[in-house]
Amino acid sequence: MLPLLLIALITVSLTSIMLPEALASSKGTAATAEAGPAVVVIPVKQTVEPSLHSFLERAFKEAQEARAEHIVLVVNTLGGRVDSASKIGELIRTSPIPTTAFVEGKAVSAGTYIALNANHIAMQPGSTIGAAAVVDGSGTLNEDPKIISFWVEQMTEAAKLQGRDPNIAAAMVDKSVTVDMTDTIGRVKKQGDILSLSASDAEKVGYSDLTANKVEDVVKWLELDNRALIEIQPSIAEEVARFLVSPVVTTILLILGIAGVAIELLVPGFGAPGIVGLLSFGLFFFGSYVSGLAGMESVALFIIGIILLIIELFVPSFGILGLLGSTSLIAAVVMSAPNPKSGFISLGVAVAAAAVIVALFARTNRGRGIWNKFILRDKLSTEDGYLSADDRNTLIGEKGVALTTLRPSGTVQIGESRVDVVTTGEFIEAGKPVVVTKAEGTWIVVKEVKSE
């Protein structure tokens, strides 16, 4: 099992080596740090989730290091997680660099909240903003009053930052809110509807400061068109991590990881399954770490869990070490998930699927594996002509004389041979005639021959 530990350590080492790449920009900004004031353009064109927050944290940090004069967020998202949106909103509000959100397509749900936290909002013709009602993972509208109240408060406070009408922000979340906008866009938002605004309507009600075709138009409106434009894109590692943390990929990685490690622990021999399992776990934790879902404590718990399971194979602990190891692995996976519920669901599906894979592999590959080369598997069976003792079946029916009293064991004379025998329980005096009734291995059973 030492190779298993070695591979685990190598996997963690590779993860730590790859992390700097995850924190590096795809377009070098080190050279721009001395270029003076510039405008940094950052895309927000993915689901609002921890990976987006992690990328924006890195991008805002690089913008500060480059002494950027302004940040333009190019927003085109259908929304995502409320908790991630709240963190991104705080990041924008607390940034010392002024920010403008340029809605290039849609700023829906959490995307609206991100835009509202910016100092300015510009919108492309044909784009929309709003429809920020809270929905669950299946797209069903969340009717929980507590959640709606919280999100309304978040949206209205963001709208107030730049003097925008908070009632309009509330109408984008709560379908029970009514807003009369006849004096600006000629319509009323009625109960039962969720408000969304086109670029032109958003400008009329004061939610957009400008309608522009491209980023350069926004920069010109900001009177910064003589500044250099620096675009910060997600790095390769961040793109890979974003792919790895998708629910389907996460579940597949867990299946491969659990099945691979279990096969190495249960089926003799170290080979491809163990390598695949550890690499799968490595990719799982790498994606979670880069996406901001997990820290090094999750990786540490995973390694501890593997070590405890290996020790359980060699040190009798009545299952205590195995239970602690399994608990560590479960905790590591759940801590690396977007939320405990999704973590347990993915883990449950992975365990069930992995159990089937392990059972099939164990049945079809029982005799394979490197360590099986050191195991003697030749059998000296009776069918192959090998006998563990002399075959005494030929004595059945032979008669002899008891040389000693059989109590119930003793010695008899059969032909010219002295044979150790037993009776079925009765005593037979010396000199009495006997006959062999059964021969099983070295056991010869006799009984007394009664004279007629």
Side-chain angles (χ1 to χ4, degrees):
M1 294 299 172
L2 289 178
L4 189 64
L5 281 175
L6 182 61
I7 292 293
L9 294 176
I10 291 174
T11 302
V12 176
S13 299
L14 289 175
T15 301
S16 62
I17 291 172
M18 293 176 68
L19 288 179
E21 168 63 20
L23 302 177
S25 171
S26 62
K27 294 192 176 182
T29 58
T32 64
E34 300 179 359
V39 176
V40 172
V41 180
I42 305 173
V44 182
K45 298 182 179 182
Q46 64 183 74
T47 303
V48 179
E49 55 191 3
S51 61
L52 177 60
H53 175 243
S54 179
F55 160 62
L56 290 178
E57 273 191 322
R58 192 259 297 176
F60 271 68
K61 180 180 179 181
E62 289 191 3
Q64 292 183 42
E65 292 174 351
R67 297 183 177 90
E69 188 171 352
H70 205 91
I71 293 176
V72 176
L73 297 175
V74 182
V75 182
N76 189 0
T77 178
L78 295 177
R81 295 167 57 94
V82 171
D83 54 350
S84 296
S86 297
K87 293 178 181 179
I88 294 172
E90 182 180 1
L91 176 67
I92 297 172
R93 290 193 306 271
T94 58
S95 174
I97 305 174
T99 305
T100 294
F102 175 48
V103 181
E104 197 174 59
K106 294 181 182 297
V108 177
S109 190
T112 301
Y113 178 73
I114 292 174
L116 287 177
N117 280 277
N119 299 91
H120 305 286
I121 297 178
M123 297 182 66
Q124 195 177 59
S127 61
T128 57
I129 188 171
V134 181
V135 296
D136 57 24
S138 62
T140 304
L141 189 65
N142 194 316
E143 302 285 354
D144 189 340
K146 294 181 180 179
I147 296 177
I148 295 175
S149 177
F150 167 78
W151 192 229
V152 167
E153 181 69 17
Q154 291 283 92
M155 288 283 291
T156 54
E157 288 300 315
K160 292 177 184 178
L161 289 175
Q162 304 303 326
R164 299 183 178 97
D165 187 351
N167 293 325
I168 293 179
M172 292 178 174
V173 178
D174 191 351
K175 64 181 182 180
S176 65
V177 175
T178 60
V179 180
D180 187 356
M181 298 173 288
T182 53
D183 58 336
T184 53
I185 59 175
R187 64 186 177 102
V188 176
K189 186 273 178 186
K190 301 178 181 179
Q191 287 189 1
D193 298 331
I194 298 296
L195 180 64
S196 62
L197 299 171
S198 64
S200 59
D201 287 348
E203 188 171 1
K204 291 176 183 178
V205 299
Y207 263 58
S208 172
D209 302 303
L210 173 72
T211 301
N213 291 309
K214 52 187 178 180
V215 172
E216 288 77 8
D217 296 337
V218 177
V219 174
K220 185 176 181 180
W221 176 77
L222 292 169
E223 298 182 355
L224 299 172
D225 50 317
N226 59 337
R227 306 294 195 272
L229 291 182
I230 302 174
E231 186 174 3
I232 300 178
Q233 292 285 350
S235 66
I236 295 176
E238 287 168 335
E239 292 286 5
V240 171
R242 178 187 169 194
F243 170 76
L244 293 176
V245 297
S246 64
V248 175
V249 176
T250 294
T251 304
I252 293 175
L253 289 176
L254 287 176
I255 292 173
L256 294 177
I258 294 172
V261 172
I263 287 172
E264 291 303 330
L265 293 176
L266 300 177
V267 180
F270 181 83
I275 295 174
V276 171
L278 289 173
L279 287 178
S280 297
F281 273 124
L283 290 173
F284 171 81
F285 288 109
F286 169 75
S288 297
Y289 186 92
V290 174
S291 300
L293 294 172
M296 290 304 296
E297 65 275 6
S298 298
V299 179
L301 278 175
F302 166 71
I303 295 177
I304 291 172
I306 291 293
I307 293 174
L308 290 176
L309 289 178
I310 293 173
I311 295 176
E312 172 68 21
L313 297 178
F314 300 99
V315 180
S317 67
F318 305 100
I320 296 177
L321 292 177
L323 179 61
L324 291 176
S326 301
T327 303
S328 295
L329 292 178
I330 293 173
V333 171
V334 173
M335 289 172 60
S336 302
N339 56 72
K341 181 179 179 180
S342 63
F344 279 115
I345 292 176
S346 296
L347 189 60
V349 173
V351 169
V356 175
I357 294 174
V358 172
L360 294 175
F361 189 93
R363 176 173 296 182
T364 57
N365 298 272
R366 188 177 299 274
R368 298 183 181 181
I370 294 176
W371 293 110
N372 284 283
K373 296 180 180 179
F374 301 95
I375 300 174
L376 179 63
R377 297 190 178 277
D378 293 336
K379 297 180 180 180
L380 304 180
S381 61
T382 304
E383 291 78 5
D384 296 329
Y386 298 97
L387 299 175
S388 59
D390 293 337
D391 189 359
R392 314 299 289 275
N393 289 332
T394 56
L395 295 177
I396 297 177
E398 294 289 331
K399 296 181 179 181
V401 178
L403 298 179
T404 62
T405 301
L406 307 182
R407 304 170 181 264
S409 63
T411 306
V412 301
Q413 181 78 33
I414 299 178
E416 298 181 356
S417 302
R418 294 167 60 90
V419 181
D420 293 327
V421 299
V422 295
T423 69
T424 56
E426 70 273 14
F427 285 7
I428 300 177
E429 297 180 357
K432 294 292 185 176
V434 296
V435 62
V436 178
T437 59
K438 185 183 297 185
E440 293 183 354
T442 58
W443 286 78
I444 307 300
V445 182
V446 299
K447 70 176 183 178
E448 182 180 355
V449 177
K450 304 292 184 179
S451 58
E452 298 180 359

